[in-house]
Amino acid sequence: MKKVSQLICSLALGALMSLPSFAQPLEQPNSPDYNPKASYDGPYKMNTWSISAHVGPSMFFGDLREYDFFPVRETNADSRKESGTFQGGLTINKQLSYWFGARLDGSIGNLKGMKRRQYNRYFEGNYGDVTLSGTVNLKGLLMGPNKMKRWKVDAYVGVGQVFYDATAYDLTGDVVLRETGKKNDWVVPTGLNINYEVTKRIDIGLDFRLNHTNSDYLDATYGGDYDRTPLSAGNSFKIKDQKTSRKGNSELDSYGYGSIQLTYKLGKKPLKVQKVDGKWDYKPEDGYYNLRYTDPRVLLKAPKILTLEEMDSVAKANRPKDIDPRLLLDTDGDGVSDFFDKEPNSPAGSVVDGSGRVLDFDSYVKNALASGVACSEIFANVEFETDKNGLSSESKEMLKNVANLMNKNGCRLQLAGHADRRATDRYNMALSRRRVDAVKNFLINEGGLKDPSKVIIDYFGSFKPIAESATRTGLQKNRRVELKLLP
């Protein structure tokens, strides 16, 4: 039993240490059900909470136990029945990712044991414990998300407290020899939990646990204490008064149980994956799968790969009428097609108007303020330092002029936030949003913009670079908020 619990501890701790290797950037920020605050990577929200009730026999392992594995099953002249003990409790489960989770357990029960050799004692006691454990999805790690789909097998290890009160008696005379009084100790639970998904709400399963206590007193006896003088004689002592040591000359006590478990999965609009034509069919748009059984990665739908004939058919069906080829070209990459571009060879990164003419954005805004001309479609960028969303003094001055122009002429402003590639997709999405929010907040709070509804915002992380990311200059250009004035 000890070797089994050590194996479970090793598996759980080893898998937790390897957690970063399983994390994959699976975000799809434009998904309607995307959850950026989730503890797991994936495109959809998922149900993660459940509550379980368990009941079954308990078992003690320590000094007052006759055999290592099989309990004594009858009471006679020199034996006491060790079987017939009982425990039950509740568990709150939180699935943090498909691989890992946490569980908060509370249980109560009773324990029995006896030992003829040396001790000639038996004990009876009651206990209650509260523990917090981390879980590892062994089935998922060993077999993947789509084999034994309805099954969930977890190993777990944790820490908690046990509260107990036990009494040890002379085996042949039923005389009280030791009492613990009301006592508590630290406990380390290790276990294996097996569940089967019956419905979208209900699981049934088995829970096997071994709890390692931090003392040798759970059976009101510590190793080496063979004295059978009655407690009332005055020359013995109560265990609760023993403070000098946590144990005698034997191993620390432990106890465990095997339980039948019933689990209710919480969450709104629960789904249970079904098989269609021999394959698991996922429909995340209909509700929420539970992270206990569904790896978020399987919800990613592979893009359809068209054959050459299909691509040719689609192209022919959607082919427009012949047009001037210059409409399809943008030689200088300024965003204006050559057909309309009045300056088709403008330098890279230039700010242009709708006809492709190179402009000084700041000068244009100032002139528009002075002359009162109507707004034209015009573009500019506000750049940022690495991993920052603070505005430079030059940018602030320009944004004040933009706010004044919008107040005077009723212009609209479209903002688009971007980041360079040097972080995860999730982080870059958040950073680009902070940058675009910084620009909008400055326009409203310090620029004096009267109508915030005229500002349209969007953010794209590192998905839309405008320069190569292999150079510092390219990275700098990609750290930007694009400004687009609109009539």
Side-chain angles (χ1 to χ4, degrees), residues 351 358-371 373 378-380 397-398 401-402 405 485:
V351 176
V358 178
L359 296 173
D360 184 324
F361 184 83
D362 198 32
S363 298
Y364 169 82
V365 173
K366 291 179 181 178
N367 292 334
L369 278 172
S371 61
V373 298
I378 188 170
F379 311 86
E397 187 63 31
M398 179 186 70
N401 290 330
V402 170
L405 180 61
L485 271 175

Side-chain angles (χ1 to χ4, degrees), residues 266-329:
L266 304 173
K268 60 182 180 179
K269 297 172 65 177
L271 293 177
K272 178 186 176 186
V273 64
Q274 303 294 334
K275 262 192 174 181
V276 177
D277 297 329
K279 294 183 178 180
W280 295 111
D281 184 38
Y282 296 93
K283 296 181 178 179
E285 62 276 4
D286 293 344
Y288 304 97
Y289 292 103
N290 199 291
L291 194 56
R292 283 168 62 87
Y293 292 94
T294 301
D295 187 340
R297 286 180 288 190
V298 303
L299 301 182
L300 291 170
K301 295 184 177 180
K304 177 177 174 56
I305 301 177
L306 300 177
T307 64
L308 290 176
E309 291 78 10
E310 289 174 327
M311 288 188 286
D312 186 57
S313 176
V314 171
K316 288 179 179 179
N318 294 280
R319 181 178 178 180
K321 296 179 180 180
D322 291 339
I323 58 174
D324 191 317
R326 292 176 298 167
L327 285 171
L328 306 177
L329 297 176

Side-chain angles (χ1 to χ4, degrees), residues 28-327:
Q28 291 182 354
N30 294 325
S31 169
D33 241 352
Y34 174 66
N35 182 10
K37 296 182 179 179
S39 57
Y40 56 89
D41 279 323
Y44 294 99
K45 293 179 181 177
M46 304 186 75
N47 292 330
T48 60
W49 290 92
S50 61
I51 186 168
S52 305
H54 65 266
V55 63
S58 57
M59 188 174 294
F60 170 76
F61 301 93
D63 294 308
L64 296 192
R65 181 171 175 81
E66 187 71 3
Y67 306 113
D68 289 337
F69 291 100
F70 301 101
V72 175
R73 297 183 177 275
E74 61 181 16
T75 298
N76 53 38
D78 63 346
S79 297
R80 281 281 174 169
K81 182 178 180 181
E82 293 180 314
S83 60
T85 52
F86 173 86
Q87 63 77 38
L90 294 175
T91 301
I92 298 175
N93 306 286
K94 169 66 174 177
Q95 202 68 29
L96 302 175
S97 71
Y98 177 67
W99 310 105
F100 305 105
R103 54 184 284 172
L104 178 65
D105 294 272
S107 62
I108 58 174
N110 66 316
L111 298 170
K112 296 179 183 179
M114 56 85 65
K115 192 78 171 256
R116 285 187 291 261
R117 299 183 302 275
Q118 296 176 317
Y119 293 99
N120 197 46
R121 299 180 192 174
Y122 73 93
F123 89 98
E124 295 178 349
N126 299 309
Y127 75 88
D129 58 34
V130 179
T131 60
L132 179 64
S133 304
T135 66
V136 180
N137 183 349
L138 294 183
K139 196 280 296 184
L141 287 173
L142 299 177
M143 305 186 69
N146 287 325
K147 290 184 179 180
M148 295 180 64
K149 182 67 182 176
R150 302 290 184 211
W151 293 89
K152 186 176 191 295
V153 181
D154 285 345
Y156 61 90
V157 60
V159 67
Q161 282 272 299
V162 59
F163 305 87
Y164 58 93
D165 186 354
T167 303
Y169 303 87
D170 184 86
L171 187 59
T172 54
D174 292 335
V175 177
V176 175
L177 300 180
R178 295 286 183 269
E179 293 178 346
T180 63
K182 294 182 178 180
K183 195 171 179 62
N184 66 286
D185 282 304
W186 287 102
V187 62
V188 175
T190 58
L192 186 70
N193 185 241
I194 304 171
N195 281 276
Y196 181 79
E197 187 179 29
V198 180
T199 72
K200 59 187 178 182
R201 285 290 189 189
I202 301 297
D203 299 345
I204 59 173
L206 299 173
D207 193 21
F208 303 97
R209 172 182 289 218
L210 181 63
N211 296 295
H212 308 266
T213 64
N214 190 38
S215 77
D216 192 21
Y217 302 145
L218 196 59
D219 55 356
T221 297
Y222 62 91
D225 174 23
Y226 307 130
D227 183 13
R228 292 194 292 276
T229 305
L231 186 63
S232 58
N235 54 0
S236 188
F237 60 88
K238 290 187 177 182
I239 296 296
K240 69 178 182 178
D241 299 324
Q242 180 79 350
K243 299 180 181 179
T244 57
S245 174
R246 306 299 300 177
K247 60 174 289 188
N249 59 10
S250 60
E251 295 292 331
L252 298 176
D253 292 337
S254 58
Y255 66 99
Y257 60 74
S259 293
I260 297 174
Q261 188 176 57
L262 182 67
T263 299
Y264 182 81
K265 291 171 285 190
L266 304 173
K268 60 182 180 179
K269 297 172 65 177
L271 293 177
K272 178 186 176 186
V273 64
Q274 303 294 334
K275 262 192 174 181
V276 177
D277 297 329
K279 294 183 178 180
W280 295 111
D281 184 38
Y282 296 93
K283 296 181 178 179
E285 62 276 4
D286 293 344
Y288 304 97
Y289 292 103
N290 199 291
L291 194 56
R292 283 168 62 87
Y293 292 94
T294 301
D295 187 340
R297 286 180 288 190
V298 303
L299 301 182
L300 291 170
K301 295 184 177 180
K304 177 177 174 56
I305 301 177
L306 300 177
T307 64
L308 290 176
E309 291 78 10
E310 289 174 327
M311 288 188 286
D312 186 57
S313 176
V314 171
K316 288 179 179 179
N318 294 280
R319 181 178 178 180
K321 296 179 180 180
D322 291 339
I323 58 174
D324 191 317
R326 292 176 298 167
L327 285 171

Side-chain angles (χ1 to χ4, degrees), residues 423-443:
T424 64
D425 291 342
R426 185 189 292 271
Y427 185 85
N428 282 334
M429 287 296 298
L431 176 59
S432 62
R433 176 159 191 172
R434 291 198 299 272
R435 286 171 174 168
V436 80
D437 286 343
V439 172
K440 181 177 180 180
N441 291 336
F442 182 86
L443 289 168

